[in-house]
Amino acid sequence: MTTDTIQVRNPATLQPLAELPVALPADVAAAVALARQAQTHWQSKSFAVRGKILRRLRDLLIDEQERLADILTSESGKPRGEVYGNELFYVCDAIGFWVKNAEKWLSPQKIRPHLFKMKKVLSMHQPLGVIGIISPWNFPLVLTAGDAVPALMAGNAVVIKPSELTPLTALFVAELAQKAGFPENLLQVMIGGSETGEALVDNVDMIAFTGSVDVGRHVMRRAADRLIPVSLELGGKDPLIVLKDADLERAANACVWGALVNSGQVCTSIERVYVEEPIYPIFVDKIVERVKRLRQGQSRDEVELGSMTSEEQFKKVAAQVNDAVAKGAKILTGGRTHPSFSGLYYEPTVLVDVTHEMAIIQEETFGPVIPIMKVKNADEAVQLANDSRYGLDACVFTRDRQKAWQMAQSLHTGTVCINDGLVNYIIPDAPMGGVKDSGFSRRHGAEGIRKYCYQKTIVIDRFGMKNELPWFPSSRKKTAQMRRMINLLWRSGWRNKFRPPRQFR
Ligand code: NAD
């Protein structure tokens, strides 16, 4: 019997929304056991049947989009337009994408052995069993349902532990999944914080973790005790580089949107801007002018920015800005809590005179802040961009495509956008993930579904010989044959191939 509860509140108003019972370790173990039973049944279904049920879920999400938007905006504080534009759009497209491609990427594929022509080799991907998805709060639909779709299409059951700040969206998805005809217990949601997350790691067959670096490390260590696979999608400190020949209008618009969409609470948010010297003043003016025009407010208003979601991050962002200012940075706009609201509203902020010694440049800033630095040239921009423990995404703006391509090779990040920003996440065909402290896994593409599977290889004998050369019994004759064969196959020089190995001379 569970007695602990968590309070969910609206970060825009700080009013309580719900009180939910926490899933204790025993509850999690029981849920995973039930999911395991459901998975056996689900795995036996064809891709077509799984796809049909997922498409039904998509229809229900579209039919229920108003209720979805009510729930999602109230627990996250984001504007309503973002629910449709970023969250629902992504999940609807992802469902279609995985339904279409799962079979192609998971079904048996013939492998032609380069040497062993007398064997037929097939490789396929089979579901791991029960996948645990541990999610952060910044995209309560995308990072729960969106990640569950490929896992389900692969034939797994899924148990989601959403962030304790935004659990209501995932609960709503589970409710719709029931209506869509998902087998009972195939998709479950466990409510709670770290203890519930740890219990999930202790029970499932694979963990897909998205969140902070420190918790990611802890999850991986815990998963190591059970030798279960983990995928880690962690934080970022993504740079945007603007060279002097760039289309400045496009670069400025991409920069402001990329840094401030979802109030800057995106793993691939633009968090550092490096601008080539000659265009620095004009580019800074363009950014400030655009940021000053942005509207901030309640989810139903016609606004670009809502409130932030996490009070902890809200305080961290304010502390980073204050620290930067104390060390010499200048605020060109914003830099304070919005005076008109009681909730977690931090004004969109532009900072200049920042340096790599400041936390605002070194640490992840999960909030609406754009720090801008002047650089001498592209080389310096790349060098500074790489001076980070993170390596998720990077953006380069220039009209010189060749230079952009070279810079993309030198940037130590999992993805690079050229003359674009943050677009990787909405292209499910494009593998996406990080290096260094940003993690190592990939969402999307073949890897984005194969990570929920184990690879199985099947070798079939073609000719049915009674015995094979390496099999028993051993004999000197067989050994000599084997040695001659090695000589013939791999000794360099044609003459040497037919010379008997040294001892036989
Ligand atoms: P967080 O690491 O604090 O929490 C993430 C999840 O882990 C939550 O559900 C939390 O309850 C759970 N958790 C906490 N302690 C745990 C433990 N000991 N064992 C198991 N689970 C535990 O992160 P957050 O503050 O919710 O999210 C913000 C972070 O997420 C940022 O760093 C952001 O960059 C990252 N993020 C990364 C991506 C990506 O794709 N790389 C996407 C979105 C967010």
Side-chain angles (χ1 to χ4, degrees):
M1 177 106 174
T2 57
T3 48
D4 294 0
T5 58
I6 56 164
Q7 310 273 343
V8 186
R9 67 173 186 175
N10 184 332
T13 60
L14 305 183
Q15 294 305 307
L17 287 172
E19 184 167 349
L20 302 172
V22 163
L24 298 178
D27 303 321
V28 177
V32 174
L34 290 172
R36 198 156 268 131
Q37 286 170 20
Q39 190 270 330
T40 320
H41 176 61
W42 181 244
Q43 184 176 354
S44 69
K45 301 279 177 214
S46 67
F47 286 102
V49 169
R50 291 178 210 156
K52 203 169 160 189
I53 299 177
L54 277 161
R55 277 203 213 96
R56 231 181 275 146
L57 172 63
R58 179 169 65 183
D59 286 339
L60 288 172
L61 282 165
I62 295 170
D63 292 347
E64 297 283 350
Q65 57 185 281
E66 286 305 297
R67 209 172 133 214
L68 174 75
D70 287 344
I71 295 169
L72 211 159
T73 54
S74 64
E75 66 177 356
S76 71
K78 62 177 78 188
R80 212 169 175 84
E82 281 195 23
V83 174
Y84 308 121
N86 297 336
E87 302 247 20
L88 185 60
F89 183 96
Y90 173 87
V91 171
C92 287
D93 184 44
I95 289 177
F97 177 79
W98 294 115
V99 167
K100 185 171 162 220
N101 291 300
E103 187 165 10
K104 175 178 82 188
W105 281 325
L106 305 182
S107 298
Q109 313 240 315
K110 257 194 212 156
I111 294 174
R112 291 180 186 280
H114 74 284
L115 187 61
F116 286 82
K117 303 289 182 201
M118 59 290 192
K119 310 292 174 196
K120 187 172 168 182
V121 181
L122 294 149
S123 180
M124 67 184 76
H125 290 81
Q126 296 208 309
L128 279 162
V130 182
I131 307 297
I133 293 179
I134 300 182
S135 305
W137 40 261
N138 56 334
F139 287 95
L141 182 67
V142 166
L143 296 172
T144 56
D147 281 354
V149 173
L152 290 164
M153 267 314 289
N156 296 287
V158 171
V159 180
I160 300 171
K161 197 215 77 67
S163 166
E164 54 274 42
L165 299 183
T166 55
L168 302 176
T169 302
L171 285 172
F172 183 54
V173 170
E175 189 187 314
L176 294 185
Q178 282 266 304
K179 286 192 191 147
F182 276 50
E184 210 180 343
N185 303 316
L186 186 75
L187 177 73
Q188 297 179 62
V189 176
M190 295 285 106
I191 302 300
S194 58
E195 198 190 15
T196 310
E198 286 175 355
L200 199 60
V201 181
D202 292 344
N203 285 280
V204 294
D205 303 309
M206 186 251 174
I207 277 287
F209 175 83
T210 305
S212 62
V213 179
D214 287 346
V215 178
R217 265 200 196 100
H218 178 79
V219 164
M220 190 164 170
R221 277 195 206 106
R222 202 161 176 120
D225 284 342
R226 299 187 53 236
L227 280 180
I228 57 164
V230 286
S231 66
L232 295 184
E233 308 279 356
L234 309 176
K237 188 77 199 168
D238 295 353
L240 178 140
I241 297 171
V242 193
L243 299 188
K244 56 179 183 264
D245 67 343
D247 176 340
L248 295 191
E249 285 298 299
R250 181 168 173 82
N253 288 332
C255 178
V256 171
W257 179 78
L260 303 180
V261 62
N262 200 27
S263 294
Q265 305 165 114
V266 184
C267 53
T268 51
S269 278
I270 286 151
E271 298 196 9
R272 300 176 282 152
V273 184
Y274 300 104
V275 187
E276 226 177 350
E277 227 160 15
I279 52 150
Y280 176 80
I282 181 172
F283 189 76
V284 170
D285 284 350
K286 280 181 187 296
I287 296 294
V288 172
E289 176 211 322
R290 280 165 175 73
V291 172
K292 280 187 170 163
R293 283 206 305 259
L294 297 176
R295 296 158 298 177
Q296 206 167 8
Q298 298 281 331
S299 65
R300 280 194 179 271
D301 301 339
E302 199 173 49
V303 291
E304 285 79 30
L305 275 75
S307 76
M308 291 179 65
T309 306
S310 149
E311 188 162 2
E312 193 187 322
Q313 287 294 334
F314 179 76
K315 288 180 181 157
K316 199 170 153 191
V317 168
Q320 283 184 4
V321 171
N322 294 342
D323 169 75
V325 170
K327 289 178 176 154
K330 206 156 93 198
I331 296 171
L332 298 187
T333 182
R336 57 175 191 166
T337 302
H338 201 297
S340 319
F341 303 108
S342 54
L344 306 179
Y345 288 87
Y346 196 81
E347 285 187 348
T349 299
V350 180
L351 284 179
V352 290
D353 298 340
V354 288
T355 69
H356 270 237
E357 281 63 55
M358 298 173 181
I360 199 87
I361 290 292
Q362 289 298 336
E363 290 172 21
E364 186 176 45
T365 310
F366 231 47
V369 183
I370 313 181
I372 312 179
M373 279 180 77
K374 194 190 303 175
V375 290
K376 281 199 267 330
N377 51 36
D379 287 347
E380 190 187 16
V382 170
Q383 184 222 319
L384 289 173
N386 285 340
D387 176 27
S388 172
R389 67 185 180 114
Y390 294 104
L392 198 52
D393 190 28
C395 305
V396 177
F397 281 81
T398 170
R399 287 193 168 93
D400 183 340
R401 284 177 179 245
Q402 207 181 342
K403 188 174 224 172
W405 179 256
Q406 283 161 1
M407 289 168 74
Q409 311 303 309
S410 308
L411 285 162
H412 198 191
T413 56
T415 58
V416 177
C417 293
I418 296 176
N419 295 327
D420 221 321
L422 272 67
V423 75
N424 318 57
Y425 209 104
I426 55 161
I427 307 176
D429 321 65
M432 188 232 156
V435 291
K436 301 195 271 186
D437 276 5
S438 295
F440 47 75
S441 321
R442 293 295 176 267
R443 282 196 166 92
H444 305 157
E447 182 54 30
I449 189 163
R450 287 180 175 164
K451 70 182 178 191
Y452 295 122
C453 302
Y454 66 94
Q455 189 168 20
K456 178 176 278 180
T457 305
I458 300 179
V459 180
I460 306 167
D461 176 57
R462 294 172 69 195
F463 300 135
M465 291 190 315
K466 297 289 177 227
N467 207 341
E468 302 256 351
L469 189 61
W471 292 3
F472 295 149
S474 310
S475 72
R476 282 173 170 278
K477 191 177 157 195
K478 274 185 166 180
T479 306
Q481 278 176 351
M482 186 63 85
R483 298 185 66 180
R484 259 186 231 110
M485 190 156 59
I486 290 170
N487 217 46
L488 182 68
L489 287 170
W490 294 300
R491 188 70 176 84
S492 314
W494 277 105
R495 273 197 205 156
N496 295 335
K497 280 187 185 295
F498 296 102
R499 236 191 255 161
R502 209 161 270 164
Q503 308 79 313
F504 288 132
R505 272 186 212 155

